[in-house]
Amino acid sequence: MSTTTIDTPNTDAARATTKAMLCEGNEAAALAVALARPDMVAVYPITPQTSLVEKLASLIAEGRMDADIVDAEGEHSVLSVLQGGALAGARTYTATCGPGLAFMFEPYLRTSGMRLPLVMTIVTRDGITPQSVWGGHQDAMTVRESGWIQMYCETVQEVLDTTVMAFKLAEHHDVMLPVNVCLDGNYLSYGASRIELPEQAEVDAFMGAKDVNWHVALDPQRPMAVDPLTGGSGGNGPETFARYRRGQCRGMQSALRVITEIHEEWGQRFGHHFAPLVEEYRLDDAEYAIMTLGSMTGAAKDAIDEARAAGEKVGLIKIKTFSPFPVAALKHALRSVRALGVVDRSVAFRWNCGPMFQETLGVLYRLGRHIPAQSFIGGLAGADLTTAIFHRVIDETRALLTRPASDEPVWLNAKD
């Protein structure tokens, strides 16, 4: 669903003109992909991603997007096809979620290992079983150590802008890693809001010349082996394998800088400014803070504003880039707070907490001072995280100023 309304001159960058429209998150992702001009798209529909790939197919069929589309027989084939396309020099894209992400796990691992700059939207949904087709972060969090960059979006506008930026990030010579743009199933995928769509010429200028496979290419004039058997205990195997892994890690760490640079350039061109790694919201004099990820952040900010109006010194930290984990930026955000509540929309089963909370514990250790922190788990399988729920999170986090945190997570939508 979309209705064009007005052309909006951008006040931050005189060159940029945007078109205002009403748009769902899935449609925004598809429109962003079209703006990035991929050469190949491979898709397989799965709830709640389906309307995204339907929109892509429609754009291609109508001639509004010049790309080859492959309707593969399953997600494993989807990603395998795109690996070949990337190796041949194509800019490539797909989208999936839940069981589809699980089905493509083998080529998913190989994509990052081969340093292929593919972009994939994960329209996040909770895991099975129990059977669920509703939103949650369990699918994306389950693959967080697979070598892909992951960025999570709060709004429909952020979905559009981040998707375009993801292509430039993936193809940067200091990065060369695949990128997941994660948007919350149901709440963002089907949620409609006003967006500003950039002009194609402006996006072309932002993207620059296409340079997808400068490091490895399928070329009959230059035969080469791609992803050969590497490792073992003798010869150059151990050294070579370690060099590959070290290169992936360096690419991940370089991504922290490149993400920041790309967001700054995007903001200058189009006037849309998003925190690239970590957003600090009303933290200047905050004694304690809560941490969020994705679309839940809107309700959390409303609760923070209401608590501030009541005299509470509380702030919010939103994680935008989850992988690589923004350690330095998060240390800066936590520099003055004395207590922290971390709200996850998924579960780290081994640690009996949320995955973001688990990652944050490592940052708290590096701070060099003790901050009591509590894991909150909510919003599973499409459950709503309301302003009232975030007031509970604020209250229980404030209590940590005078008492130790519990080793047990707080289950926000459960009735014990």
Side-chain angles (χ1 to χ4, degrees):
M1 65 186 263
S2 62
T3 305
T4 302
T5 55
I6 56 173
D7 288 337
T8 308
N10 189 295
T11 57
D12 290 84
R15 293 175 299 169
T17 300
T18 57
K19 183 172 291 185
M21 59 189 298
L22 181 66
C23 188
E24 296 177 349
N26 276 351
E27 183 181 6
L31 293 172
V33 173
L35 286 170
R37 296 187 185 273
D39 302 293
M40 177 181 286
V41 173
V43 295
Y44 193 87
I46 183 170
T47 303
Q49 159 263 43
T50 301
S51 61
L52 194 167
V53 299
E54 288 176 341
K55 181 64 177 180
L56 283 173
S58 175
L59 291 170
I60 293 171
E62 295 167 1
R64 297 166 59 191
M65 180 176 170
D66 183 15
D68 293 327
I69 186 167
V70 180
D71 297 318
E73 68 271 20
E75 288 84 358
H76 189 283
S77 298
V78 162
L79 203 47
S80 299
V81 165
L82 292 179
Q83 287 175 355
L87 288 168
R91 177 174 288 165
T92 52
Y93 173 82
T94 190
T96 193
C97 60
L101 182 60
F103 188 26
M104 64 168 58
F105 188 61
E106 179 194 358
Y108 186 86
L109 288 171
R110 181 169 286 119
T111 303
S112 60
M114 290 195 294
R115 308 291 296 276
L116 299 180
L118 188 147
V119 174
M120 176 197 298
T121 301
I122 300 180
V123 186
T124 62
R125 86 181 224 187
D126 219 308
I128 53 173
T129 295
Q131 288 287 336
S132 171
V133 296
W134 296 283
H137 293 157
Q138 198 67 49
D139 51 2
M141 286 295 170
T142 300
V143 297
R144 65 188 183 275
E145 286 294 354
S146 299
W148 286 59
I149 294 166
Q150 286 190 350
M151 294 185 288
Y152 287 75
C153 300
E154 176 185 350
T155 65
V156 174
Q157 184 71 62
E158 193 170 12
V159 169
L160 188 145
D161 295 5
T162 303
T163 301
V164 177
M165 288 188 278
F167 286 92
K168 187 166 185 173
L169 167 65
E171 296 168 13
H172 194 286
H173 284 203
D174 292 341
V175 179
M176 290 304 294
L177 288 169
V179 178
N180 286 144
V181 178
C182 302
L183 65 106
D184 290 359
N186 299 89
Y187 290 99
L188 283 183
S189 63
Y190 306 141
S193 65
R194 180 188 183 277
I195 65 163
E196 294 180 352
L197 185 70
E199 294 290 338
Q200 183 66 65
E202 295 288 345
V203 175
D204 290 345
F206 167 79
M207 292 295 295
K210 190 178 298 183
D211 189 15
V212 174
N213 66 338
W214 57 273
H215 69 310
V216 58
L218 295 177
D219 184 350
Q221 302 302 316
R222 190 186 61 163
M224 65 181 298
V226 176
D227 197 20
L229 189 64
T230 306
S233 60
N236 295 327
E239 176 186 347
T240 302
F241 195 91
R243 186 169 73 249
Y244 286 152
R245 283 290 183 264
R246 187 179 184 183
Q248 283 180 272
C249 289
R250 284 177 170 171
M252 273 285 187
Q253 293 307 302
S254 295
L256 293 167
R257 168 182 55 82
V258 176
I259 290 169
T260 301
E261 293 170 353
I262 289 174
H263 275 69
E264 289 175 355
E265 181 184 355
W266 183 269
Q268 291 169 2
R269 284 182 177 272
F270 301 104
H272 299 163
H273 300 277
F274 302 100
L277 307 176
V278 171
E279 179 182 350
E280 300 182 13
Y281 184 75
R282 306 198 72 166
L283 273 184
D284 287 344
D285 64 341
E287 295 181 353
Y288 61 103
I290 65 173
M291 185 182 296
T292 61
L293 185 73
S295 66
M296 70 170 83
T297 307
K301 287 178 177 177
D302 289 343
I304 293 291
D305 290 343
E306 292 170 1
R308 278 284 184 171
E312 292 294 330
K313 290 188 175 182
V314 59
L316 180 143
I317 301 167
K318 183 187 84 169
I319 302 294
K320 165 68 178 282
T321 299
F322 188 84
S323 180
F325 204 64
V327 175
L330 194 48
K331 285 174 64 178
H332 182 270
L334 292 168
R335 63 194 180 279
S336 300
V337 301
R338 296 167 45 214
L340 178 67
V342 181
V343 184
D344 278 277
R345 213 167 199 144
S346 56
V347 179
F349 295 100
R350 292 164 48 247
W351 280 77
N352 188 34
C353 64
M356 187 163 62
F357 177 79
Q358 176 190 358
E359 302 281 353
T360 303
L361 291 178
V363 179
L364 294 176
Y365 175 81
R366 295 190 184 188
L367 273 178
R369 64 185 179 90
H370 176 68
I371 298 177
Q374 180 65 55
S375 174
F376 296 86
I377 297 174
L380 305 183
D384 199 2
L385 288 171
T386 64
T387 303
I389 288 176
F390 277 107
H391 275 296
R392 177 188 172 189
V393 173
I394 290 170
D395 291 343
E396 297 202 25
T397 303
R398 181 180 62 247
L400 299 179
L401 295 172
T402 57
R403 64 163 174 81
S406 171
D407 290 335
E408 289 292 318
V410 176
W411 296 85
L412 295 171
N413 299 108
K415 291 184 179 180
D416 296 327

